[in-house]
């Protein structure tokens, strides 16, 4: 059987259209930037000293914790000790693939839905052994390539998704630490992305100094207000372009007044021009 334990891979794009799974163990892991991707992520934390940031919420992780990240959520892992072994399993599931799996049945993506009341990214099951076992089975089968392995993996994945949804509906999750100020600012940015947004105007709106807001935001989000706004606008513009909106119109709708600046930022972030995005997908 192939070796299933892998060192950290900085790749943030899926090479397959269905799902990919990784089991990684590292020390001295380099910092990971705030980012998002186009697929669902199921993250099982096994060991280390780690906190995870998701859209303004900070989660302090214990072994056995599960994090569910939806496609458009900006997130970042922060390793607090470079001397402690950091181990986790990560499962990526393609959006279209999950849509196909849940056709005509229950909504398997429900556990990822931020619109559900009391939604949390963190699930803390009293006994996560069954979930870890299912992830290990998927990994072994995918690596081994036995007869019927893909069907076997899909069966395990379906079981896993059902369990995660039951856990999320059973209120076994736990809310992350929030800065009330940063949470309000993030919500405002989400609702007004197409408008002019600057640090000083946001500070005035929320009745704080721009230096205080800048410090609080960076501490909670792991990035600056300016970069967060840029990432969110690029993210939303990308979604619109994939949905058929012309790049220039999408850029304007998401708050970019200068198309050359949008173009440069888009290519730097996604490695492809806005016009060629649909050709690449």
């Amino acid at each position: 059987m192939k070796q299933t334990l892998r060192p950290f891979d900085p790749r943030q794009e899926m090479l397959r259209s269905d799902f990919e799974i990784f089991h990684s163990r590292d020390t001295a892991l380099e910092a990971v930037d705030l980012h998002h991707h186009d697929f669902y992520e199921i993250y099982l934390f096994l060991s280390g000293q780690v906190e995870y940031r998701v859209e303004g919420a900070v989660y302090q992780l214990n072994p056995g914790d599960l994090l569910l990240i939806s496609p458009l959520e900006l997130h970042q892992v922060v390793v607090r000790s470079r001397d402690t072994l950091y181990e986790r399993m990560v499962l990526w599931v393609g959006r279209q693939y999950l849509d196909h799996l849940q056709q005509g049945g229950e909504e398997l993506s429900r556990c990822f839905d931020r619109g559900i009341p009391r939604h949390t990214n963190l699930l803390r099951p009293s006994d996560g052994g069954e979930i870890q076992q299912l992830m290990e089975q998927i990994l072994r089968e995918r690596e081994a390539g036995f007869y019927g392995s893909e069907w076997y993996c899909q069966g395990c994945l379906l079981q896993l998704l059902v369990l995660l949804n039951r856990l999320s509906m059973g209120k076994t999750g736990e809310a992350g630490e929030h800065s009330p100020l940063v949470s309000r600012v993030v919500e405002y940015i989400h609702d007004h992305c197409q408008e002019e947004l600057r640090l000083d105007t946001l500070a005035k709106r929320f009745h704080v100094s721009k230096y205080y807001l800048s410090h609080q935001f960076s501490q909670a989000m792991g990035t600056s207000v300016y970069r967060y706004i840029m990432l969110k606008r690029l993210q939303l513009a990308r979604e619109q372009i994939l949905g058929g909106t012309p790049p220039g119109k999408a850029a304007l709708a998401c708050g970019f007044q200068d198309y050359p600046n949008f173009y440069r930022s888009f290519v730097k972030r996604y490695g492809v021009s806005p016009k060629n995005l649909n050709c690449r997908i």
Side-chain angles (χ1 to χ4, degrees):
M1 184 178 293
K2 296 179 182 178
Q3 173 61 256
T4 59
L5 193 63
R6 304 280 178 86
F8 174 69
D9 184 347
R11 171 170 61 91
Q12 293 296 337
E13 293 185 358
M14 289 184 67
L15 301 180
R16 299 178 57 122
S17 60
D18 51 2
F19 60 90
E20 298 181 28
I21 188 165
F22 314 92
H23 182 188
S24 301
R25 185 186 295 156
D26 298 277
T27 54
L29 185 68
E30 295 300 320
V32 177
D33 287 339
L34 189 71
H35 64 282
H36 77 277
H37 26 62
D38 290 330
F39 43 83
Y40 297 95
E41 179 173 312
I42 300 163
Y43 169 104
L44 173 62
F45 177 65
L46 297 174
S47 70
Q49 294 183 27
V50 167
E51 72 177 32
Y52 216 101
R53 297 170 176 164
V54 187
E55 293 287 2
V58 180
Y59 299 97
Q60 307 294 336
L61 299 185
N62 299 325
D65 283 353
L66 286 153
L67 279 165
L68 307 181
I69 312 297
S70 64
L72 296 183
E73 289 182 304
L74 289 166
H75 58 280
Q76 177 186 37
V77 64
V78 179
V79 180
R80 289 303 184 191
S81 172
R82 294 171 61 88
D83 300 321
T84 305
L85 194 66
Y86 170 38
E87 185 175 2
R88 66 279 186 206
M89 297 185 75
V90 180
L91 175 62
W92 292 347
V93 184
R95 295 166 76 172
Q96 293 182 344
Y97 179 72
L98 185 53
D99 288 344
H100 173 73
L101 285 181
Q102 62 190 10
Q103 281 182 0
E106 275 118 340
E107 191 178 358
L108 295 171
S109 59
R110 184 187 187 280
C111 56
F112 297 94
D113 189 352
R114 291 182 66 87
I116 299 293
R118 296 177 61 193
H119 169 80
T120 176
N121 297 96
L122 175 64
L123 296 179
R124 187 162 276 167
S126 56
D127 179 11
E130 186 175 3
I131 289 169
Q132 183 173 347
Q133 185 179 33
L134 284 168
M135 293 181 76
E136 289 171 346
Q137 287 177 328
I138 294 170
L139 182 60
R140 285 196 300 267
E141 285 288 327
R142 174 58 65 86
E143 293 288 343
F146 295 133
Y147 169 80
S149 283
E150 290 304 317
W151 290 114
Y152 188 97
C153 287
Q154 183 171 296
C156 290
L157 178 60
L158 285 168
Q159 289 182 66
L160 176 63
L161 289 166
V162 169
L163 281 175
L164 292 175
N165 277 283
R166 288 179 178 176
L167 284 169
S168 69
M169 289 186 279
K171 309 303 180 188
T172 60
E174 187 167 313
E177 302 168 12
H178 286 265
S179 160
L181 170 63
V182 173
S183 295
R184 293 198 305 273
V185 172
V186 165
E187 185 178 353
Y188 185 84
I189 292 170
H190 286 190
D191 294 340
H192 299 84
C193 229
Q194 75 282 6
E195 301 173 13
E196 184 180 5
L197 294 171
R198 298 199 313 268
L199 176 61
D200 54 351
T201 54
L202 286 170
K204 286 179 183 178
R205 181 170 190 86
F206 291 95
H207 310 292
V208 294
S209 76
K210 63 180 182 179
Y211 306 105
Y212 180 78
L213 175 56
S214 178
H215 174 73
Q216 291 294 307
F217 196 95
S218 296
Q219 192 173 52
M221 300 295 293
T223 194
S224 67
V225 172
Y226 172 80
R227 184 165 181 268
Y228 180 82
I229 292 169
M230 178 66 75
L231 287 172
K232 186 57 63 176
R233 284 175 168 165
L234 289 171
Q235 182 187 73
L236 295 174
R238 186 179 188 276
E239 287 293 297
Q240 290 194 20
I241 294 168
L242 287 173
T245 304
K249 189 175 180 180
L252 228 103
C254 296
F256 290 96
Q257 303 300 319
D258 178 0
Y259 187 82
N261 178 49
F262 164 72
Y263 181 91
R264 287 191 298 271
S265 300
F266 194 96
V267 171
K268 183 178 180 181
R269 177 66 185 85
Y270 298 113
V272 64
S273 73
K275 288 184 178 179
N276 292 327
L277 179 61
N278 281 293
C279 301
R280 176 174 169 177
I281 298 302

